[in-house]
Amino acid sequence: MNRLIASYKSLINMRRFSILSRFRRGFPRTAKFLHLRWPLLIQTILVVGLIGGVVGPNLTASVAQEVPKQLTMLTSPDYPPYGYYITSGQDRKIVGFDIDIANTIARELGFELKVGESDFNGLIPALQAKRADFVMAGMTPTPERQKNVDFSEIYYEAKDTIVAPKTSNLKTKEDLKGKTVGVQLGSIQEGNAKKIAEKVEGLKIKQLNKVPDLIQEIKAKRIDAAIIEDTVAKGFTTSNPDLGFSVVPPEGPAGSAIAFPKGSPLVGPFNQVIQKMKTNGELEKLVSKWFSQTIAADGSTTTAAPAPEATTAPAPQAGLNLDFRRIIPDIPFILAGIPVTLVFTLSSVLLGLVWGAALSLLKISKIKPLEWFSFLYTSIFRGTPLLLQLALVYYATPQLTGYNITPYQAGVLTFTLNSGAYMSETIRAGIQAVDKGQSEAAMSLGVPYALMMWDVIMPQALKNILPALVNETIGLLKDSSLVSTIGVVEVLRASQIVGANKYIYFEPLLFAGVIYYLLVMGLTYAASALERRLRRSE
Amino acid sequence: MSNPVIRTEELCKAFGQLKVLKGISVEIAKGEVVAIIGPSGCGKSTLLRCLNLLETPTSGRVFFQEQEITAPGTNISRVRQDVGMVFQHFHLFPHMTVLKNITYAPIKIEKVPSEEAKDRAMDLLRKVGLAEKADVYPSRLSGGQKQRVAIARALAMRPEVILFDEPTSALDPEMVTEVLEVMRELALSGMTMAIVTHEMGFAREVANRVWFLNEGLLAEDSPPDEFFHNPKHDRAKQFLEKML
């Protein structure tokens, strides 16, 4: 029995090269497949069958003797109390209801749990790209999602609410007639809102990336209301007393389940543990731990705040009502994003410079295919959005190469490839602006081409283009905030996380803005010092 | 007489449709100083630049010390170490000090130890009268000083021959003398030189031979006395009348 479980576990561990995934990819090539891969199919059926039969009550005991294997879980940690960051102090830790459940299941099955993160609408692509073994993010198993991933059974059922200004009196679905309603992009509430829109006349839907964005849109009066899950709504309305929420009856499928890549052998074992947690009351304990309480500013949990209806809400005021004291405990968490942003930017700039220099040499090489390659490359990377390139590199690399690229690596790679394209043009212009006599003088001394480029031409070219390179660096520094979309916790994402935890918006964003500004100023100063130094020869 | 340092055979060079050199066969012996003169556009500079292959000849052959350098597979960088060149516009490396300009190639190419290269460079700077400028950048020098440094830079590689491409044409008149003085010294020391120039007085005094080029052909190849007193070619006569 032990041996069988061990082989099943190693199968999961090798998932990228696994028989299962090869089986699926190979499927369309039927003729060849039928001849060559039948044994694999039989193995697969055997393994799946074994898992069904083997994983039972004695599983915990059996696997305890094995070396613990790792399971990777992805979540979108901007969704308290399901999953969010503890942001006071520099310890970056994702906690929440989902994390507790995942830990319990992993422990029961004898795995070690690794928690990664992504934007909510990037979670399912990540599963399809096999970047993770499963996803928990308060996700509801809709038929659309079930086409792309497999789900466990429901572990918690949430209710939808309408969040709106208290003065607005929007309480029922019918009240939303002719109103604009905000939902989180890719969330279950988005689907529910569409169903409501079919019945309620003139309802317009606006999708945004994050729940905090929805709250700000209500306050800015760009939307009339938002449809948000009850526990989340509770937290936000407590922090924003001018808003209130009312629960509405469910619209089709509801409740949260764990998502897995299609055909994952983990579904069965996970369901067994969930069942066990339901029967032995463990799940109930976690529900009351996370949902009957409000998340306090320091990430610890305290007893519930008075219900929003009961709060004596101050009259809605004009202006932003900024209070920076609210983020003081979280400042170290945001500041810890600075080295990430800086190291990220500098490594991208340096690698981009090297790559750009190489491309620029191809462009002036007079070898036609190399020139064409280089110009085609540049036109593609300058002609498509950086955000799109980032998403492609991050999600496609594991599927194309089998290498599970980290968000950070994907970011540096994309930024290097992208800035290399821009820099190659700048450097080419810089090289061509160097007097032709310089290369003739070097050649007449017997200096070979490579050495001439390195010692004579490049230093002069770089000096000419230094201001352009500084601009590129400043651009990259600010664009580095784009990697927040694939879950690198740099300055912007750190501040968004703080905002999500505290149900506030402007303070952390403004704070991040100041950080970026100071970084750019520092960079500008350093660059002008460098420029002065290079000018010594003039 | 020993082998020529440089020799060409039926050298032709065209830029697109424009035929600049139309078959030139010449040679320069060791220690000779050749002045290359002629009306503008006659191909003087192109001929000079073909001698170290800064221009690739369209046809014909160039030999350095009887090695054909136009042959495919020739290591031209190696050959150029022995063929110095001085340009009209100096082309000093602006990001290097005077000393670094001179020591760069010996250290990087010839692999001379840096102390030795520095000594060699200082000797040369003293010879051209600029020892005190060793540590300044070229932008601080006058045109005449730049050209003297450029000559020192070419000499630092201890070449067999130096090609001068109108070395005084970009200079203010009062700086011409200091550069010609250095070149005269160099000629007296026995250096093999080919000089494209408009300085007729200098050519007459310093050169052993004069090549007169006209419309891409070598019209006359004579000792300076003969050329300047009794030019054979009509075009040379006209040219000298205008110049002198």
Side-chain angles (χ1 to χ4, degrees):
Chain A
M1 192 65 106
N2 271 356
R3 209 171 52 81
L4 291 174
I5 294 166
S7 70
Y8 142 67
K9 283 174 71 181
S10 68
L11 181 70
I12 294 168
N13 210 270
M14 294 164 47
R15 62 189 182 280
R16 282 197 300 281
F17 312 101
S18 75
I19 295 159
L20 285 169
S21 69
R22 271 197 283 158
F23 162 44
R24 274 195 308 282
R25 277 189 215 150
F27 195 76
R29 286 171 237 152
T30 37
K32 225 176 177 182
F33 167 76
L34 288 176
H35 280 108
L36 299 175
R37 306 226 170 143
W38 269 113
L40 297 184
L41 181 62
I42 291 163
Q43 267 179 305
T44 310
I45 292 167
L46 271 175
V47 167
V48 173
L50 277 173
I51 291 162
V54 160
V55 182
N58 56 352
L59 181 78
T60 324
S62 334
V63 294
Q65 296 140 19
E66 306 289 331
V67 183
K69 300 272 162 52
Q70 215 173 41
L71 278 183
T72 307
M73 156 182 168
L74 271 188
T75 187
S76 170
D78 46 15
Y79 204 56
Y82 288 91
Y84 62 100
Y85 265 98
I86 293 184
T87 53
S88 35
Q90 290 198 22
D91 259 4
R92 284 154 183 266
K93 205 177 158 202
I94 302 175
V95 296
F97 177 60
D98 282 349
I99 316 297
D100 277 1
I101 294 179
N103 268 319
T104 310
I105 295 176
R107 200 172 52 239
E108 286 282 313
L109 296 178
F111 288 102
E112 215 170 72
L113 184 70
K114 195 178 150 225
V115 180
E117 62 170 303
S118 160
D119 255 6
F120 187 79
N121 50 20
L123 290 172
I124 286 184
L127 273 187
Q128 291 174 310
K130 301 239 186 303
R131 305 197 60 93
D133 297 298
F134 65 100
V135 157
M136 285 182 83
M139 190 181 277
T140 302
T142 60
E144 293 77 35
R145 286 182 183 144
Q146 277 167 343
K147 280 179 205 151
N148 298 310
V149 293
D150 286 349
F151 279 100
S152 70
E153 56 182 86
I154 306 270
Y155 60 85
Y156 179 71
E157 200 151 335
K159 298 178 192 76
D160 285 353
T161 71
I162 295 172
V163 175
K166 283 198 176 139
T167 50
S168 73
N169 248 347
L170 299 177
K171 296 213 184 289
T172 64
K173 292 175 188 172
E174 290 67 35
D175 293 341
L176 297 177
K177 190 171 173 183
K179 303 289 182 191
T180 304
V181 174
V183 288
Q184 186 182 12
L185 181 66
S187 70
I188 183 68
Q189 287 76 28
E190 181 187 1
N192 292 348
K194 282 178 183 161
K195 288 197 191 102
I196 298 173
E198 285 166 16
K199 285 177 265 174
V200 177
E201 208 179 316
L203 188 153
K204 285 196 290 286
I205 296 173
K206 185 168 179 186
Q207 294 104 328
L208 295 172
N209 271 332
K210 293 186 167 61
V211 175
D213 297 344
L214 295 173
I215 302 296
Q216 289 311 312
E217 288 288 272
I218 298 174
K219 297 179 98 172
K221 300 192 172 25
R222 278 194 288 259
I223 56 179
D224 299 299
I227 298 183
I228 299 173
E229 173 177 336
D230 57 350
T231 48
V232 180
K234 206 180 284 173
F236 277 105
T237 48
T238 310
S239 281
N240 299 276
D242 46 333
L243 303 182
F245 73 91
S246 353
V247 176
V248 294
E251 198 70 45
S256 303
I258 307 171
F260 301 87
K262 274 253 173 248
S264 168
L266 289 171
V267 183
F270 268 55
N271 276 338
Q272 298 214 9
V273 179
I274 292 173
Q275 206 50 55
K276 191 175 150 196
M277 289 173 75
K278 279 181 181 168
T279 43
N280 68 11
E282 220 171 325
L283 194 62
E284 195 51 46
K285 253 187 269 168
L286 288 178
V287 169
S288 65
K289 172 181 170 191
W290 292 102
F291 289 98
S292 62
Q293 292 169 340
T294 311
I295 313 308
D298 60 357
S300 65
T301 52
T302 55
T303 43
E309 289 78 12
T311 46
T312 48
Q317 289 172 341
L320 299 176
N321 297 322
L322 297 181
D323 180 4
F324 283 94
R325 280 170 306 181
R326 284 193 277 186
I327 61 164
I328 288 173
D330 308 299
I331 284 177
F333 181 80
I334 300 180
L335 292 183
I338 294 179
V340 181
T341 292
L342 276 184
V343 172
F344 180 86
T345 305
L346 292 182
S347 40
S348 301
V349 164
L350 290 179
L351 291 172
L353 189 62
V354 172
W355 178 225
L359 286 171
S360 70
L361 290 178
L362 297 187
K363 283 177 183 174
I364 58 170
S365 68
K366 293 186 180 129
I367 302 169
K368 285 291 167 201
L370 295 183
E371 272 182 69
W372 291 333
F373 163 77
S374 187
F375 280 107
L376 181 69
Y377 177 92
T378 306
S379 79
I380 289 173
F381 275 88
R382 289 204 303 190
T384 54
L386 181 54
L387 195 53
L388 179 151
Q389 294 163 14
L390 187 64
L392 284 182
V393 168
Y394 181 57
Y395 292 115
T397 302
Q399 297 181 61
L400 291 177
T401 66
Y403 176 67
N404 195 359
I405 195 166
T406 67
Y408 190 84
Q409 291 167 338
V412 171
L413 179 61
T414 312
F415 277 62
T416 299
L417 293 176
N418 184 279
S419 78
Y422 283 90
M423 289 203 203
S424 71
E425 279 298 286
T426 313
I427 297 172
R428 180 182 64 89
I431 289 174
Q432 286 171 342
V434 174
D435 184 4
K436 195 161 164 278
Q438 290 294 310
S439 56
E440 291 189 346
M443 282 192 279
S444 76
L445 287 167
V447 182
Y449 183 81
L451 206 56
M452 170 184 93
M453 290 311 288
W454 183 253
D455 284 336
V456 178
I457 306 300
M458 278 298 184
Q460 298 185 52
L462 288 181
K463 193 177 123 186
N464 292 341
I465 62 173
L466 191 65
L469 290 183
V470 172
N471 269 343
E472 175 70 18
T473 310
I474 288 173
L476 268 183
L477 180 81
K478 290 178 295 176
D479 286 349
S480 71
S481 57
L482 290 177
V483 295
S484 63
T485 58
I486 56 171
V488 177
V489 186
E490 39 62 75
V491 173
L492 182 66
R493 185 154 178 95
S495 68
Q496 286 172 337
I497 287 167
V498 169
N501 285 359
K502 295 286 174 69
Y503 306 105
I504 55 177
Y505 198 84
F506 290 110
E507 290 88 346
L509 266 193
L510 288 173
F511 188 69
V514 170
I515 292 177
Y516 279 110
Y517 181 76
L518 292 178
L519 290 179
V520 169
M521 286 300 105
L523 201 64
T524 312
Y525 179 79
S528 64
L530 180 64
E531 214 168 325
R532 273 198 301 280
R533 216 182 97 84
L534 288 176
R535 271 229 193 87
R536 277 185 323 182
S537 62
E538 274 165 20
Chain B
M1 197 171 146
S2 63
N3 286 333
V5 180
I6 285 181
R7 182 162 70 82
T8 69
E9 277 178 11
E10 288 301 318
L11 194 60
C12 293
K13 175 68 185 178
F15 294 103
Q17 292 298 305
L18 182 69
K19 288 179 180 162
V20 180
L21 300 180
K22 301 168 183 168
I24 292 191
S25 302
V26 287
E27 53 182 69
I28 304 171
K30 191 163 174 54
E32 254 188 330
V33 177
V34 176
I36 306 172
I37 62 180
S40 71
C42 69
K44 309 181 290 280
S45 285
T46 305
L47 171 61
L48 195 76
R49 289 161 59 84
C50 280
L51 299 184
N52 66 351
L53 299 195
L54 280 188
E55 301 291 353
T56 309
T58 314
S59 67
R61 306 202 285 175
V62 179
F63 297 82
F64 173 74
Q65 294 181 326
E66 288 305 300
Q67 175 204 353
E68 190 196 336
I69 62 175
T70 38
T74 306
N75 180 352
I76 189 62
S77 290
R78 179 68 199 83
V79 174
R80 284 174 183 150
Q81 291 175 33
D82 295 328
V83 183
M85 188 154 194
V86 174
F87 299 85
Q88 181 178 356
H89 295 286
F90 335 121
H91 300 326
L92 294 180
F93 304 133
H95 58 301
M96 301 180 186
T97 61
V98 164
L99 188 69
K100 186 86 197 299
N101 261 279
I102 302 174
T103 56
Y104 168 69
I107 292 173
K108 282 287 178 86
I109 313 300
E110 231 187 315
K111 309 287 180 201
V112 176
S114 70
E115 277 309 305
E116 192 188 326
K118 205 174 154 189
D119 290 345
R120 199 194 277 184
M122 289 310 296
D123 277 348
L124 289 167
L125 278 176
R126 274 190 285 276
K127 255 180 217 161
V128 300
L130 289 170
E132 78 283 1
K133 300 286 187 190
D135 294 321
V136 306
Y137 283 93
S139 55
R140 298 288 176 81
L141 300 178
S142 72
Q145 290 171 328
K146 281 181 189 164
Q147 197 59 298
R148 280 142 69 196
V149 172
I151 294 172
R153 179 175 69 177
L155 285 170
M157 290 298 281
R158 299 187 167 157
E160 292 294 320
V161 53
I162 300 187
L163 313 173
F164 292 84
D165 190 3
E166 304 200 27
T168 57
S169 299
L171 297 178
D172 290 340
E174 69 265 33
M175 290 169 183
V176 172
T177 331
E178 64 189 60
V179 172
L180 291 183
E181 193 49 47
V182 168
M183 291 171 65
R184 185 178 289 117
E185 292 286 326
L186 200 54
L188 288 175
S189 74
M191 175 59 73
T192 311
M193 296 158 73
I195 309 164
V196 171
T197 184
H198 296 291
E199 298 291 334
M200 293 304 138
F202 177 78
R204 194 169 181 169
E205 181 201 345
V206 176
N208 308 115
R209 278 161 69 197
V210 175
W211 295 347
F212 180 77
L213 260 61
N214 186 38
E215 291 176 354
L217 291 167
L218 184 66
E220 207 164 331
D221 176 1
S222 329
D225 280 349
E226 198 179 315
F227 177 78
F228 285 105
H229 287 118
N230 191 16
K232 283 169 256 172
H233 200 275
D234 283 346
R235 190 67 184 81
K237 277 177 200 158
Q238 284 171 24
F239 177 76
L240 285 175
E241 273 163 24
K242 274 186 201 151
M243 294 297 290
L244 296 173

